[in-house]
Amino acid sequence: MGENIIDTAAAAYVSRGNKATRTGFGEALLEIGRENSAVVGLCADLTGSLNMNQFRDAFPDRFFQTGIAEANMISMAAGLATTGKIPFAASFAVFATGRVYDQIRQSLCYSNLNVKVCASHAGLTLGEDGATHQILEDIGLMRGLPRMTVVVPCDYSETKRAARAIVQHIGPLYFRFGRPNIPDFTRDEDGFEIGKSIELHPGSDVTVIACGIMVWKALEAARILEKEGVGVRVINMHTIKPVDTLAIVRAANDTGAIVTAEEHQIYNGLGDAVAGVCARNIPVPIEMVGVEDQFGESGKPDDLLEKYKLTTADILEKIYLALRRK
């Protein structure tokens, strides 16, 4: 899922190998569980898939296997939160958002309870499980809820840093990560602050704002265009809500054109969030890389990303179009 080196005059992001973001979640949950006795884990019969086995084994009295009953899991998490616990309630993204939307809306957001909804296996890269499991609307569902925070890390290391940040956050939060092994390239010095994006590559001609697996692909595109003399600013927008308005406005002002990239529907996801900021502050040409009002299908992850136009080449195509529109 991408080449292994990004080399620029300002910084060098090098893949340390491929790791899954779900692995980062499982390891981080164990670490923060050791540090904070208020942290509890809940899972809807997918403990192995979400790498929660180590937490379960280390803290059997703080882990709750709810079975295939996601609505009950969210309601249990809400109850635990009222006692001062910090619940991490985890399942596949399609179940953690779509199946339990009513419980999240009423029990978590309306009541403003401190529950972390942790969702793995999101997007097309779930692969062979097909359209019924490849949710591409979850960011939109969650960002539309009052009081909900939405976090989408881009690699294994950032997932671990994000987990440490969200345990300190008070309030309902949606934490989205994935199944496949992808390049692990971010650095500890990048840090992680909810609501504050990270500029990974400088540029003054156009900006690519990406989240999740598309961040690495945006860096690949920036490297290619750097050889052509085109400066591409790359922003890792790991928090979709609250979105980093200041970074978006600054990028629009400095570069005059923006491309967004996400493994999600272009409607009501990162692209719409960025477009909304620009419409209210500084209108500029915006192009979006994402799934365009379609369901997924069964297939190998890389084949699906190519079919649905979520590749480095597709980001390049949108960059050229945005530049022509300036």
Side-chain angles (χ1 to χ4, degrees), residues 1 13 15-22 24-25 125 150-163 175-187 190-192 197-200 209-219 234-240 261-263 270:
M1 289 192 180
Y13 280 91
S15 174
R16 296 176 294 274
N18 292 347
K19 291 185 177 182
T21 49
R22 61 172 170 156
F25 165 72
T125 48
V150 179
V151 172
V152 184
C154 68
D155 69 359
Y156 160 89
S157 294
E158 184 169 67
T159 303
K160 296 190 72 172
R161 292 194 299 275
F175 193 26
R176 185 196 211 233
F177 40 94
R179 174 186 185 181
N181 292 327
I182 59 175
D184 178 43
F185 61 94
T186 63
R187 305 174 296 206
D190 292 331
F192 191 95
S197 63
I198 302 170
E199 183 177 317
L200 300 180
I209 300 176
C211 66
I213 66 166
M214 302 304 291
V215 175
W216 179 258
K217 299 177 187 301
L219 284 170
V234 176
I235 294 175
N236 170 18
M237 192 63 70
H238 54 65
T239 306
I240 314 300
E262 59 193 310
E263 187 191 7
L270 172 64

Side-chain angles (χ1 to χ4, degrees), residues 296-315:
E297 62 185 279
S298 180
K300 296 185 182 302
D302 283 342
D303 292 342
L304 292 171
L305 292 176
E306 182 175 356
K307 176 173 181 176
Y308 289 87
K309 298 186 180 300
L310 272 67
T311 68
T312 300
D314 296 305
I315 294 175

